[in-house]
Structure formats: structure tokens, C-alpha cells
């Protein structure tokens, strides 16, 4: 038997299967990008919603490993706690069964036979790819071509291993795996850990099953091992991350190990005591899909009530104490870039968080010129430091995101975000300037006249409203509030001209202290510039 003639087509088929799965998943993700953004909101809900979210995302990106890596990123970034992560991880195990059903559909849906459908799917996808001009057409083409390549890959693998039925040693190896649960589990875990994809590992098992090489009992233990092997990707991803992110990867491993132990005991009892003959017959591709799905759903249902205990065990092993984050820490993680649509939504959330810090700065700046309170001055300076760090971190992350394969709409959204970040950062700069003006007044023991105080208060209030409306317009994507910002900005411009003129008259009549007068004029400039940046934010919302 020429093993090279078997190995080369098998490896080629595996490569085609994995590549087809990836481009199909990428096409699905891009096509569903806008909907996937809203899924992030579910993270604040209960664990049941988390399970559904994990299943939905994994069904789209075709990889529980990728979903779990993304979860590690969320936890590392501090936007998801370990309890929320547990729900998503459980759901990911369910969602990963979709690929197996796609592969086994050649058995329960005859019209999906690779020999018939795969070449047609590829040619249709290529025609759409070459003739379609819109990006949507390209994504649809990727889905269709990926679908075709996936089936061609599985067919190639099955054909390549067909001669192995005549080789007693290979057949006996699977019989041994069926009789020795530990070896079967180790084999499944090892193969999955090496290729870092349980979907691809299940695909390999299904191709061997299609050639009639896999006994039922061996398949059961291998599938359980595959669920353990898929954890390696998240564990490797957590290297160098925070303790709570490592705990998230541990939760995935603990969850799958517990499920494997429970169902291995059940399988051993069934195949050795209750029905020894059941494990000797060959398993089909559809039966593999059924076992894989049943195992993952049953494990999730069974361990769901104990999910908090799994979280506690992972925290204990990882020595985790989920403390509050430094406000200036950028809560974004590069692991999330594996799913650009959700990463973009995370950028939006971080931008809003930065905007809220600036909102607080404006609130503090309203009175600091009159009170000259050192605590308030320190708050403004600390906020500006936090905003600078956030702006730099979010900007760098957004630039990385823009370099990925994202839709034209998402490119435009990233560009809008970069502009909004810049405007918010400049507003924070002007708030810090106000704190410096307060220090100047205190050091020189200067103060405003009652008229100046009244006029300045009006200017600051209108400016604050313009920024608050701008931030709310950005958060809610509200055109109505964005238009209010433009009204306020026009009013602030008119006020600046009017108050400047009146103040100069007071100075010329010696009605106001010169040092305080200079601060008054500088403050007017700061307020007018803040309203300008608020208008810029509003215009970005209107453009979107």
C-alpha cells in the first residue's frame, strides 16, 4: 500500500476543508456584521442569554475556539465578567456542532452530495465574485465558494482514506481506541489541539467514518477528547493576559473535562456492561453529528446550574480577584479583532466611556473658577491624563481594526470614531486649561466681578449643554440631539462675541480686575472651542 498516495490527498483535502470553512465563516460574519454588533448588548443580560449568544456567534464564525479566545479578550479587557463569560463558553460548545451537521448533510439530504453540489456551488460563487460589484455580492460569493470547498475537502479526505479499509492495522487501531476510552479521548484531544479546531477535527472523523473505518465506541471517546483539545487555543491565548482572563480559559477546560468524565463513565458502562455489541458497529457521519450535538447540549444543560461553582473553581485555581479597573486603562483586547464586527462595537463602547469621563470634567469645570478648590483641580488634571491614555489606546486599536477585512460601512464607521475620539480629547484639554485658570486666579488672589460671574456662568452652561447633547447623540445615534448641538453651538458663538465686547468695555472702565479679565477672555475662548468640538461630534453622527 502506497501511503504517500493516501497522505497527500488527505492533507490536501483537510487544507481545502479548513480553508473553505474559514472563508465561508468570514463571509457569514461580514454579511451579518451589523447584527453581530447588537449581540454585544446581550452580554449585560443573564447567563441564558449568554449561552444563546455563544451559540449564535460560534455558529457564524464556525469555531468554538475562536469564540472562547474572543471571550478571553473580553474578560481581559474588563468588559465581561467571569459569570457572563461562563454562559458564552457553554453556548460556544453548542454552536460548534453546526459544522458537523453541514458535513453530514450529504447523508440525510441526498441533493447535497459533494459530487453533485460542491462543484456547482464553487462555480456559482466564482461567477458572483467576478461579476458582482457590490461588497455584499462578494460576501455572498465567499459563503457559496466556502461551502463548496468544504464539501470538496471532506469528499477528498474520505476518498483518500478509502483504501485503509483493507489495512488491518489501521482498522485495528480504531477498534483499540473504542475499547480503551483513555486512548480514544487522548487521540481526539491531541488531534484537535494540533490543528486547533474542533470543527476540523470532527470533519476528519466524519471523513474516516464515511470510509467505514470508525467503530461507534471509538467515535464517542474521540468526540469527547475533541472537546478537551479545543480548549488549547484559548489557554495559549490567555498566556500573558490578566489572571481573570486566564480563569476564563480555565473555565472552558474545566467545563469540558467535567462533561467528558461524566459521559465517559456512562459510555463505558453502556458499552461494556449494558450493550457491548453497540460499540462494535461502524458509525455514520450523521450519527457523529448527533452524538456531538447531544454531548454538548446535554453537558450544557446538566452543568448550567453548577456554572457559578465552575467560575469559583477557575477563580480559585487562577487566584483571581476581580478588582475595579483603572479608569485610564483601555478596555480593549486584540483577541477581539478575530471578530471585527464585535471589536468595532467594543471600540464604540470605549469611546462612550471616554466621553463620559469628559462629561464629568465639564461638570467639575463649571464651578472650579469660582471655588478654586484643589480637589476639583486635581480631578480635572487626573481626568485629562486618563483621557489622553484612553484616546491613544483606542485610536491605535481602531487603526489596527481598520486594516482588517471589514465592510466599507465599517471602514467609514471607524473613520468617524477616530474623529470623535480626537474631538473628545480636545474638549478634555480645554477642561484642563480651565483648571489652570483656576490656579492662576487663586495664586494671584484675583476674582471676577458679579457681572462677569453671571455672564461666564451663562456661557459655561450653554457650552456644557452642547457637549452633553453631542455625547448623547453619539451614544444613541440621535439626529434630533445632534441638531440640538448645532443650535447650541451657534448660540455659544454669538455669546462669545457679545460677552467679549462687553467685557472689554468693563476693562476699559476699570470695572474689572486685569488678571481676572484675562482669565475671563481665555475662558470664553475655551468654551467656544469646546462647543466647536461638540458640533464636530454631532456632524459625525449626522454623516453616519
Amino acid at each position: 500500500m502506497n501511503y504517500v498516495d493516501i497522505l497527500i490527498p488527505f492533507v490536501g483535502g483537510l487544507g481545502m476543508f479548513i480553508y473553505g470553512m474559514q472563508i465561508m465563516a468570514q463571509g457569514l460574519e461580514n454579511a451579518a456584521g451589523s447584527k453581530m454588533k447588537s449581540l454585544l448588548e446581550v452580554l449585560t443580560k443573564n447567563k441564558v442569554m449568554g449561552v444563546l449568544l455563544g451559540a449564535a456567534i460560534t455558529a457564524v464564525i464556525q469555531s468554538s475556539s475562536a469564540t472562547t479566545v474572543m471571550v478571553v479578550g473580553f474578560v481581559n479587557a474588563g468588559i465581561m465578567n467571569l459569570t457572563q463569560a461562563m454562559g458564552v463558553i457553554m453556548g460556544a460548545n453548542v454552536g460548534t456542532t453546526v459544522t458537523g451537521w453541514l458535513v453530514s448533510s450529504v447523508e440525510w439530504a441526498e441533493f447535497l452530495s459533494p459530487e453533485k453540489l460542491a462543484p456547482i456551488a464553487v462555480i456559482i460563487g466564482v461567477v458572483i465574485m467576478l461579476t458582482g460589484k457590490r461588497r455584499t455580492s462578494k460576501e455572498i460569493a465567499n459563503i457559496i465558494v466556502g461551502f463548496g470547498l468544504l464539501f470538496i475537502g471532506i469528499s477528498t479526505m474520505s476518498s483518500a482514506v478509502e483504501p485503509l479499509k483493507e489495512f488491518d492495522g489501521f482498522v485495528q487501531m480504531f477498534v483499540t481506541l473504542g475499547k480503551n476510552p483513555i486512548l480514544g479521548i487522548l487521540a481526539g484531544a491531541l488531534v484537535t489541539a494540533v490543528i486547533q479546531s474542533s470543527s476540523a477535527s470532527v470533519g476528519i472523523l466524519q471523513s474516516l467514518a464515511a470510509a467505514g473505518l470508525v467503530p461507534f465506541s471509538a467515535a464517542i471517546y474521540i468526540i469527547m477528547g475533541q472537546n478537551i483539545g479545543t480548549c488549547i487555543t484559548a489557554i495559549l491565548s490567555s498566556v500573558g493576559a490578566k489572571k481573570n482572563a486566564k480563569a476564563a480559559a480555565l473555565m472552558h477546560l474545566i467545563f469540558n473535562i467535567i462533561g467528558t468524565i461524566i459521559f465517559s463513565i456512562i459510555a463505558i458502562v453502556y458499552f461494556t456492561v449494558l450493550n457491548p455489541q453497540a460499540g462494535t458497529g461502524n458509525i455514520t457521519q450523521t450519527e457523529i453529528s448527533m452524538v456531538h450535538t447531544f454531548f454538548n447540549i446535554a453537558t450544557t444543560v446538566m452543568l448550567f446550574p453548577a456554572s457559578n461553582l465552575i467560575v469559583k473553581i477557575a477563580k480559585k485555581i487562577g487566584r483571581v480577584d476581580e478588582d475595579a479597573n483603572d479608569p485610564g486603562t483601555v478596555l480593549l483586547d486584540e483577541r477581539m479583532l478575530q471578530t471585527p464586527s464585535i471589536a468595532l462595537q467594543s471600540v464604540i463602547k470605549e469611546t462612550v466611556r471616554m466621553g463620559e469621563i469628559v462629561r464629568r470634567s465639564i461638570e467639575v469645570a463649571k464651578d472650579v473658577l469660582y471655588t478654586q478648590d484643589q480637589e476639583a483641580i486635581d480631578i480635572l488634571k487626573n481626568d485629562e491624563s486618563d483621557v489622553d491614555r484612553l484616546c491613544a489606546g483606542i485610536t491605535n486599536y481602531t487603526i489596527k481594526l481598520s486594516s482588517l477585512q471589514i465592510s466599507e460601512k465599517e471602514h467609514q464607521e471607524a473613520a468617524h470614531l477616530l474623529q470623535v475620539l480626537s474631538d473628545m480629547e480636545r474638549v478634555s484639554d480645554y477642561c484642563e486649561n480651565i483648571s489652570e485658570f483656576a490656579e492662576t486666579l487663586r495664586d494671584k488672589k484675583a476674582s471676577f466681578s458679579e457681572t462677569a460671574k453671571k455672564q461666564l456662568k451663562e456661557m459655561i452652561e450653554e457650552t456644557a449643554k452642547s457637549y452633553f447633547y453631542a455625547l448623547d447623540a453619539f451614544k444613541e445615534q440621535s439626529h434630533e440631539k445632534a441638531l440640538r448641538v448645532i443650535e447650541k453651538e451657534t448660540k455659544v458663538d454669538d455669546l462669545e462675541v457679545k460677552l467679549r465686547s462687553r467685557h472689554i468695555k468693563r476693562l476699559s472702565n476699570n470695572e474689572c480686575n486685569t488678571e481676572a479679565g484675562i482669565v475671563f477672555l481665555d475662558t470664553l475662548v475655551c468654551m467656544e472651542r469646546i462647543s466647536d468640538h461638540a458640533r464636530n461630534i454631532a456632524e459625525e453622527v449626522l454623516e453616519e
Side-chain angles (χ1 to χ4, degrees), residues 318-345:
R319 298 177 182 176
V320 175
D321 182 19
E322 293 183 283
D323 296 324
N325 285 288
D326 175 0
T329 301
V330 181
L331 304 183
L332 294 168
D333 193 285
E334 295 201 7
R335 296 166 185 81
M336 288 185 286
L337 293 173
Q338 292 192 18
T339 312
S341 299
I342 292 182
L344 183 60
Q345 184 66 11

Side-chain angles (χ1 to χ4, degrees), residues 260-310:
T260 297
I261 290 172
I262 292 171
F263 282 97
S264 292
I265 293 170
I266 294 172
I268 291 168
V269 171
Y270 183 76
F271 291 131
T272 59
V273 179
L274 299 179
N275 192 354
Q277 294 302 313
T280 57
N282 287 341
I283 196 169
T284 65
Q285 290 179 317
T286 304
E287 286 169 339
I288 287 175
S289 299
M290 292 171 66
V291 169
H292 192 211
T293 303
F294 174 79
F295 172 58
N296 284 301
I297 291 178
T299 302
T300 299
V301 171
M302 185 173 53
L303 295 183
F304 185 84
S307 57
N308 288 337
L309 178 61
I310 294 174

Side-chain angles (χ1 to χ4, degrees), residues 463-494:
T463 301
K465 287 177 184 176
S466 71
Y467 177 78
F468 296 164
Y469 276 127
L471 179 58
D472 290 341
F474 175 73
K475 284 168 62 176
E476 302 164 17
Q477 288 299 294
S478 168
H479 282 211
E480 181 185 348
K481 289 184 178 178
L483 292 172
R484 294 285 295 275
V485 176
I486 293 172
E487 290 175 13
K488 289 291 179 187
E489 193 272 337
T490 303
K491 185 174 181 179
V492 169
D493 282 350
D494 293 341

Side-chain angles (χ1 to χ4, degrees), residues 228-466:
I228 294 175
T230 194
C231 300
I232 191 66
T233 310
I235 290 171
L236 290 173
S237 170
S238 70
V239 174
K242 297 174 185 174
K243 287 183 178 180
N244 56 350
K246 291 177 180 176
L250 278 172
M251 289 189 316
H252 189 208
L253 181 61
I254 292 167
F255 176 77
N256 284 343
I257 287 176
I258 292 173
T260 297
I261 290 172
I262 292 171
F263 282 97
S264 292
I265 293 170
I266 294 172
I268 291 168
V269 171
Y270 183 76
F271 291 131
T272 59
V273 179
L274 299 179
N275 192 354
Q277 294 302 313
T280 57
N282 287 341
I283 196 169
T284 65
Q285 290 179 317
T286 304
E287 286 169 339
I288 287 175
S289 299
M290 292 171 66
V291 169
H292 192 211
T293 303
F294 174 79
F295 172 58
N296 284 301
I297 291 178
T299 302
T300 299
V301 171
M302 185 173 53
L303 295 183
F304 185 84
S307 57
N308 288 337
L309 178 61
I310 294 174
V311 172
K312 288 179 181 177
I313 293 170
K315 289 172 73 172
K316 188 78 173 175
I317 295 172
R319 298 177 182 176
V320 175
D321 182 19
E322 293 183 283
D323 296 324
N325 285 288
D326 175 0
T329 301
V330 181
L331 304 183
L332 294 168
D333 193 285
E334 295 201 7
R335 296 166 185 81
M336 288 185 286
L337 293 173
Q338 292 192 18
T339 312
S341 299
I342 292 182
L344 183 60
Q345 184 66 11
S346 300
V347 171
I348 293 171
K349 283 182 172 289
E350 274 299 89
T351 304
V352 169
R353 187 169 74 88
M354 187 178 108
E356 291 291 354
I357 294 175
V358 178
R359 186 202 292 267
R360 182 180 72 170
S361 294
I362 292 178
E363 289 283 8
V364 173
K366 281 182 181 181
D367 299 318
V368 75
L369 287 171
Y370 316 128
T371 64
Q372 294 149 32
D373 178 64
Q374 187 59 48
E375 185 179 347
I377 291 169
D378 290 341
I379 287 172
L380 290 172
K381 290 185 176 181
N382 289 335
D383 282 354
E384 161 57 9
S385 176
D386 289 339
V387 167
D388 280 348
R389 284 191 288 154
L390 284 172
C391 185
I394 299 170
T395 298
N396 290 336
Y397 189 89
T398 306
I399 291 170
K400 287 180 182 178
L401 178 60
S402 298
S403 67
L404 302 176
Q405 284 189 324
I406 57 177
S407 68
E408 185 61 34
K409 183 179 178 182
E410 287 169 333
H411 269 295
Q412 291 173 358
E413 196 166 353
H416 286 304
L417 283 169
L418 289 172
Q419 184 59 54
V420 169
L421 284 165
S422 175
D423 285 309
M424 287 179 175
E425 194 275 331
R426 293 298 294 138
V427 171
S428 179
D429 285 343
Y430 288 121
C431 288
E432 185 185 34
N433 289 348
I434 299 297
S435 73
E436 292 168 354
F437 297 159
E439 288 180 310
T440 298
L441 290 172
R442 186 184 61 195
D443 293 345
K444 296 190 176 181
K445 295 182 171 55
S447 61
F448 299 121
S449 66
E450 288 303 316
T451 302
K453 283 182 181 179
K454 184 178 178 181
Q455 291 177 350
L456 199 56
K457 186 171 184 179
E458 181 185 8
M459 181 72 168
I460 292 173
E461 283 292 342
E462 291 301 320
T463 301
K465 287 177 184 176
S466 71

Side-chain angles (χ1 to χ4, degrees), residues 10-11 13-15 17-18 99 103 153-154 157-158 161 170 174 191-192 194-195 197-211 213-214 222 226 285 288:
F10 181 82
V11 172
L14 176 61
F17 175 84
I18 293 173
T99 308
V103 172
I154 203 74
M157 285 193 290
S158 298
V161 297
F170 195 82
F174 277 100
V191 171
T192 307
V194 169
I195 62 178
S197 171
S198 61
S199 295
S201 181
V202 170
I204 293 172
L205 185 64
Q206 287 178 306
S207 69
L208 293 169
L213 291 166
V214 187
I222 290 170
Q226 288 168 340
Q285 290 179 317
I288 287 175

Side-chain angles (χ1 to χ4, degrees), residues 106-119:
V106 298
E107 290 181 346
W108 49 265
E110 191 177 344
F111 68 93
L112 291 176
S113 168
E115 292 80 7
K116 297 176 183 176
L117 190 64

